[in-house]
């Protein structure tokens, strides 16, 4: 028994697992940097630049922990559970900050000299930008959270019945697009808050994230319906 306990403890502290837990630390650093800076010094703040770098490192680490775990045959139950949790903490936490009131333009500021956005972004209708500096809004966060809660509920129910409910490619695409959108927002705030190309990439990636999220949620719903219908027939 003592050997089994020691082995389990060793498996917990594999390099892939340490990378995964390091992502939580980087998430906290990212949140603090954004929280301290807000909209101060857009395009020239070293804290916003640091936040962008921290997010990129954290996002890239998500690839390496899974890759190394498979390559070194160090896939553990802890890693399988912790990895997606850390991803959600990082990305949903970042989006919650970017949808927060600090990035909402004050009444009467849009389209004036005090508007920190570029001319092209200012010209867009409010239903696209939401009157925010980041272009991300609370209802978008609700869509993403609803998808996550729905999938977790369906997966838990399916597995409780002994039915496998693995991830689909649309979920992985959603993750990649979501990371790109967050990176685009972080880059825009840190380096190019008024550039046309940066605003274009940011807006397109945000809306693409929402569309892919909705599609992914519907795909999982269809999969769940088929699985449960088959189970009832059996």
């Amino acid at each position: 028994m003592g050997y089994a306990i020691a082995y389990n403890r060793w498996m917990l502290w594999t390099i892939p697992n340490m990378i995964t837990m390091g992502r939580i630390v980087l998430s906290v650093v990212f949140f603090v940097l954004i929280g301290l800076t807000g909209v101060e010094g857009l395009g020239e703040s070293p804290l916003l630049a640091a936040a962008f770098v921290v997010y990129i490192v954290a996002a890239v680490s998500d690839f390496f922990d899974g890759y190394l775990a498979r390559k070194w045959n160090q896939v553990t139950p802890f890693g399988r559970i912790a990895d997606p949790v850390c991803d959600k903490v990082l990305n949903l936490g970042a989006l919650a900050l970017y949808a927060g009131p600090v990035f909402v333009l004050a009444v009467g500021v849009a389209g004036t000299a005090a508007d920190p956005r570029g001319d092209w972004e200012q010209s867009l209708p409010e239903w696209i930008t939401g009157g925010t500096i980041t272009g991300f809004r609370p209802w978008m966060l609700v869509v993403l959270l609803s998808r996550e809660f729905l999938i977790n509920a369906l997966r838990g129910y399916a597995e409780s019945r002994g039915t496998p409910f693995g991830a689909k490619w649309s979920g992985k695409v959603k993750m990649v697009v979501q990371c790109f959108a967050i990176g685009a927002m972080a880059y825009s705030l840190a380096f190019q808050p008024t550039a046309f190309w940066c605003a274009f990439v940011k807006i397109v990636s945000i809306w693409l994230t929402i569309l892919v999220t909705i599609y992914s949620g519907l795909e999982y719903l269809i999969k769940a319906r088929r699985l449960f219908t088959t189970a009832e027939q059996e």
Side-chain angles (χ1 to χ4, degrees):
M1 181 65 69
Y3 288 109
I5 294 175
Y7 174 76
N8 289 337
R9 287 177 178 173
W10 177 84
M11 286 298 292
L12 177 64
W13 294 109
T14 61
I15 291 178
N17 284 349
M18 286 191 286
I19 293 175
T20 298
M21 297 310 296
R23 191 152 64 252
I24 285 290
V25 176
L26 291 175
S27 299
V28 174
V29 173
F30 177 77
F31 300 155
V32 170
L33 290 172
I34 294 296
L36 288 176
T37 310
V39 296
E40 297 297 327
L42 291 180
E44 57 187 20
S45 169
L47 293 181
L48 287 175
F52 169 74
V53 173
V54 168
Y55 178 78
I56 294 301
V57 172
V60 171
S61 74
D62 181 37
F63 166 78
F64 281 104
D65 58 8
Y67 171 76
L68 293 177
R70 292 186 295 270
K71 181 179 180 180
W72 294 341
N73 195 27
Q74 293 182 343
V75 177
T76 64
F78 173 81
R80 285 195 296 267
I81 296 173
D83 183 63
V85 171
C86 293
D87 294 341
K88 290 176 176 58
V89 169
L90 173 64
N91 289 333
L92 295 178
L95 292 172
L97 288 176
Y98 285 153
V102 69
F103 293 107
V104 176
L105 292 170
V107 177
V109 170
T112 68
D115 193 332
R117 301 173 301 171
D119 294 338
W120 179 79
E121 194 170 359
Q122 292 182 35
S123 69
L124 295 174
E126 188 170 335
W127 69 267
I128 293 180
T129 65
T132 65
I133 297 173
T134 60
F136 194 80
R137 284 166 280 172
W139 72 261
M140 294 178 171
L141 180 63
V142 171
V143 171
L144 299 181
L145 286 172
S146 299
R147 186 263 182 197
E148 298 300 334
F149 288 137
L150 175 64
I151 301 309
N152 287 338
L154 292 174
R155 179 174 288 115
Y157 179 70
E159 293 181 354
S160 70
R161 297 171 60 97
T163 304
F165 199 79
K168 298 187 74 66
W169 275 105
S170 61
K172 297 178 181 180
V173 172
K174 182 269 304 180
M175 182 67 180
V176 172
V177 176
Q178 187 180 98
C179 289
F180 185 87
I182 296 171
M185 284 184 273
Y187 183 88
S188 175
L189 293 174
F191 303 110
Q192 298 286 346
T194 61
F196 160 75
W197 70 268
C198 195
F200 179 81
V201 170
K202 177 184 68 176
I203 296 296
V204 170
S205 62
I206 288 173
W207 281 94
L208 186 58
T209 296
I210 301 303
L211 294 176
V212 173
T213 297
I214 294 174
Y215 173 82
S216 175
L218 292 175
E219 190 175 27
Y220 275 98
L221 278 175
I222 294 172
K223 177 182 178 180
R225 181 176 179 275
R226 291 173 179 171
L227 288 175
F228 299 152
T229 300
T230 301
E232 289 175 358
Q233 291 174 352
E234 294 176 351

